[in-house]
Amino acid sequence: MISCFTPSHPSDYLPQVYESLVAQDYTDWEWVLLLNGDSKFAVDDRRVKVFYDDSGNHNVGFLKHKACKLATGDVLLELDHDDERLRDVGDGQPRV
Protein backbone atom coordinates (compact mmCIF):
# COMPACT_ATOMS: atom_id res chain seq x y z
CA MET A 1 0.00 0.00 0.00
CA ILE A 2 1.09 3.55 -0.71
CA SER A 3 0.67 6.15 2.02
CA CYS A 4 0.24 9.67 0.73
CA PHE A 5 0.83 12.16 3.50
CA THR A 6 -0.12 15.80 3.68
CA PRO A 7 0.64 18.15 6.53
CA SER A 8 -1.54 21.19 6.02
CA HIS A 9 -2.59 24.43 7.61
CA PRO A 10 -4.71 25.85 4.79
CA SER A 11 -7.45 23.47 3.71
CA ASP A 12 -8.71 25.36 0.66
CA TYR A 13 -7.41 22.86 -1.93
CA LEU A 14 -7.90 19.60 -0.03
CA PRO A 15 -11.11 18.65 -1.90
CA GLN A 16 -9.21 18.86 -5.21
CA VAL A 17 -6.31 16.86 -3.77
CA TYR A 18 -8.75 14.17 -2.64
CA GLU A 19 -10.48 14.06 -6.04
CA SER A 20 -7.11 13.58 -7.74
CA LEU A 21 -6.40 10.60 -5.48
CA VAL A 22 -9.81 9.02 -6.09
CA ALA A 23 -9.30 9.34 -9.85
CA GLN A 24 -6.22 7.08 -9.72
CA ASP A 25 -6.33 3.66 -11.35
CA TYR A 26 -4.15 2.41 -8.50
CA THR A 27 -6.49 2.04 -5.51
CA ASP A 28 -4.32 0.53 -2.76
CA TRP A 29 -3.52 3.81 -1.02
CA GLU A 30 -4.24 5.74 2.13
CA TRP A 31 -4.13 9.48 2.61
CA VAL A 32 -2.76 10.63 5.94
CA LEU A 33 -3.85 14.20 6.42
CA LEU A 34 -2.31 16.08 9.36
CA LEU A 35 -4.10 19.37 9.91
CA ASN A 36 -2.89 22.08 12.21
CA GLY A 37 -4.45 25.33 13.27
CA ASP A 38 -8.19 25.42 12.82
CA SER A 39 -8.26 23.68 9.43
CA LYS A 40 -11.02 21.13 8.90
CA PHE A 41 -11.58 18.43 6.31
CA ALA A 42 -13.87 15.41 6.30
CA VAL A 43 -14.76 12.82 3.70
CA ASP A 44 -16.50 9.47 3.93
CA ASP A 45 -13.66 7.26 2.68
CA ARG A 46 -11.91 4.66 4.86
CA ARG A 47 -8.63 5.34 3.04
CA VAL A 48 -8.54 8.91 4.32
CA LYS A 49 -7.17 9.31 7.84
CA VAL A 50 -7.48 12.81 9.23
CA PHE A 51 -5.40 13.78 12.26
CA TYR A 52 -5.08 17.10 14.06
CA ASP A 53 -1.92 18.57 15.50
CA ASP A 54 -2.39 20.97 18.37
CA SER A 55 1.27 21.22 19.40
CA GLY A 56 1.50 24.78 18.10
CA ASN A 57 4.58 23.76 16.10
CA HIS A 58 4.12 25.01 12.53
CA ASN A 59 7.55 23.86 11.35
CA VAL A 60 6.87 21.95 8.13
CA GLY A 61 9.66 19.44 8.80
CA PHE A 62 8.17 18.58 12.19
CA LEU A 63 4.71 18.14 10.68
CA LYS A 64 5.99 15.99 7.78
CA HIS A 65 7.84 13.76 10.23
CA LYS A 66 4.75 13.38 12.38
CA ALA A 67 2.56 12.60 9.34
CA CYS A 68 5.05 9.93 8.19
CA LYS A 69 4.89 8.28 11.60
CA LEU A 70 1.09 8.08 11.28
CA ALA A 71 1.30 6.37 7.87
CA THR A 72 0.92 2.59 7.63
CA GLY A 73 1.84 1.93 4.00
CA ASP A 74 4.95 0.28 2.59
CA VAL A 75 5.76 3.30 0.41
CA LEU A 76 5.51 6.95 1.50
CA LEU A 77 4.56 9.65 -0.96
CA GLU A 78 4.52 13.31 -0.01
CA LEU A 79 1.50 15.15 -1.35
CA ASP A 80 1.39 18.86 -0.57
CA HIS A 81 -1.90 20.54 0.31
CA ASP A 82 -2.09 22.15 -3.13
CA ASP A 83 -0.89 19.19 -5.25
CA GLU A 84 -2.96 17.08 -7.58
CA ARG A 85 -1.85 13.68 -8.86
CA LEU A 86 -2.22 13.02 -12.56
CA ARG A 87 -4.60 10.18 -13.30
CA ASP A 88 -2.04 7.70 -14.66
CA VAL A 89 0.65 8.32 -12.03
CA GLY A 90 -0.39 5.21 -10.09
CA ASP A 91 0.41 2.94 -13.03
CA GLY A 92 4.10 3.49 -12.41
CA GLN A 93 3.98 3.00 -8.64
CA PRO A 94 6.26 0.28 -7.31
CA ARG A 95 4.76 -2.99 -6.21
CA VAL A 96 6.02 -3.82 -2.74
Side-chain angles (χ1 to χ4, degrees):
M1 174 175 47
I2 294 175
S3 291
C4 301
F5 65 93
T6 305
S8 181
H9 177 69
S11 56
D12 301 342
Y13 301 107
L14 296 179
Q16 292 93 324
V17 177
Y18 172 71
E19 290 301 324
S20 76
L21 284 169
V22 171
Q24 298 299 309
D25 293 330
Y26 186 83
T27 59
D28 190 19
W29 55 264
E30 72 174 355
W31 186 25
V32 175
L33 186 55
L34 180 61
L35 301 176
N36 62 5
D38 54 355
S39 295
K40 301 287 182 220
F41 183 78
V43 64
D44 186 23
D45 187 329
R46 63 172 179 72
R47 299 172 296 183
V48 178
K49 299 172 181 166
V50 180
F51 300 94
Y52 296 92
D53 177 74
D54 59 359
S55 69
N57 188 337
H58 296 286
N59 177 290
V60 70
F62 170 83
L63 296 171
K64 286 180 183 182
H65 179 76
K66 189 170 181 177
C68 285
K69 289 171 67 174
L70 295 167
T72 61
D74 300 305
V75 176
L76 298 176
L77 177 69
E78 182 178 355
L79 190 61
D80 286 336
H81 71 277
D82 58 353
D83 286 351
E84 291 185 32
R85 292 191 70 188
L86 299 175
R87 182 175 167 90
D88 61 352
V89 162
D91 293 341
Q93 294 297 332
R95 302 285 185 218
V96 177

